[in-house]
Amino acid sequence: LLLLFPFFPVGSSIPALPELHWHPATATWYGSPDGDGSDGGACGYGSLVDVRPFRARVGAVSPVLFKGGEGCGACYKVRCLDPSICSRRAVTVIVTDECPGGYCSNGRTHFDLSGAAFGRMAVSGEGGQLRDRGEIPVIFRRTVCEYPGRNIAFHVNEGSTDYWLSLLVEFENGDGDIASMHIRQANSDEWMEMSHVWGANWCIVSGPLRGPFSVRVRTLMTGKILSARDVIPRNWTPKATYTSRLNF
């Protein structure tokens, strides 16, 4: 069952994706020159950052974009500006980590990209030269997250029990970010609100909780809502990932 509809608070202005306007920022890179970036990160995606479609597209962002973890999963196009070395092609990156200090401090808008993603902003054959520059000025804008052939999935975090259930959302098309999550137990009409714990992780303390669980997600950027009915089975287990039949 798919329930998908926009949620627009009264008086709000909901921006569309992809965003049309570019904004100024700065960028650096980390890890090996042609590497995929961090293993894990402050969003909690763990080993997902090492496999496609995340692989080599991950990035850490400053707190103004990380938003205390609510910015996790958002997708951005980032492009460098020097025509002597930069291509006109923007690289698409997924927020998987936070860079809280250094270049990312003092309210700056900054991207710390994988070596591979950083190098892709250069013209052919000049990726190494671009990386040698260290920090560079860039422009960026929000863009639609796309995970072809994948539906939204819910990973049950380690340590979850019938009284403490923690979920991580994976492969969210569209906005990519999350504003709120609710679950509904078996044989119930009540949607129970989950709390944002850290990164892209949400939890609920109640119980005993009885599956199967339906999960409802509302995005942060545009307020769209998706409900996946009975996506987590009655006999769920910690550290398992359950994939729905739908996506934004």
Side-chain angles (χ1 to χ4, degrees):
L1 175 66
L2 168 62
L3 297 175
L4 180 59
F5 48 91
F7 174 81
F8 298 156
V10 175
S12 66
S13 176
I14 302 298
L17 282 178
E19 190 179 8
L20 298 179
H21 300 291
W22 294 87
H23 308 280
T26 52
T28 49
W29 63 279
Y30 65 100
S32 59
D34 295 308
D36 298 332
S38 62
D39 181 10
C43 289
Y45 293 122
S47 59
L48 273 183
V49 302
D50 297 323
V51 299
R52 296 185 184 278
F54 284 88
R55 189 175 184 182
R57 296 175 59 194
V58 304
V61 293
S62 56
V64 294
L65 296 178
F66 190 71
K67 303 173 185 175
E70 290 186 342
C72 288
C75 297
Y76 292 90
K77 286 191 177 294
V78 183
R79 183 161 66 90
C80 62
L81 300 172
D82 186 344
S84 69
I85 195 171
C86 298
S87 75
R88 297 180 60 86
R89 180 183 65 251
V91 62
T92 301
V93 296
I94 306 164
V95 175
T96 62
D97 203 354
E98 180 183 25
C99 56
Y103 293 115
C104 297
S105 60
N106 300 318
R108 296 180 61 184
T109 303
H110 187 83
F111 292 84
D112 196 19
L113 305 179
S114 68
F118 194 92
R120 285 178 183 171
M121 293 189 291
V123 295
S124 180
E126 297 297 330
Q129 294 293 326
L130 184 63
R131 284 188 290 267
D132 286 345
R133 295 192 176 187
E135 183 191 16
I136 61 171
V138 296
I139 53 176
F140 76 97
R141 62 178 173 87
R142 281 290 293 270
T143 192
V144 172
C145 295
E146 296 179 312
Y147 299 104
R150 292 186 181 269
N151 288 328
I152 196 167
F154 302 93
H155 178 79
V156 180
N157 288 320
E158 184 176 4
S160 290
T161 69
D162 292 338
Y163 293 86
W164 183 85
L165 178 64
S166 177
L167 302 179
L168 171 75
V169 181
E170 302 174 353
F171 307 121
E172 178 194 334
N173 279 343
D175 293 358
D177 53 23
I178 300 170
S180 66
M181 282 182 62
H182 293 74
I183 66 166
R184 187 176 65 194
Q185 299 185 79
N187 303 316
S188 174
D189 294 326
E190 178 188 3
W191 285 101
M192 305 168 64
E193 185 174 6
M194 303 188 77
S195 299
H196 181 221
V197 185
W198 63 278
N201 296 275
W202 296 72
C203 83
I204 186 168
V205 180
S206 186
L209 298 166
R210 304 296 185 192
F213 300 111
S214 300
V215 182
R216 187 171 71 190
V217 175
R218 181 166 68 89
T219 69
L220 183 65
M221 181 68 175
T222 62
K224 292 179 180 177
I225 296 176
L226 175 149
S227 296
R229 182 176 178 180
D230 296 341
V231 63
I232 300 175
R234 179 176 57 84
N235 58 341
W236 61 271
T237 58
K239 299 194 291 185
T241 300
Y242 301 99
T243 302
S244 72
R245 297 180 180 179
L246 48 100
N247 212 327
F248 284 103

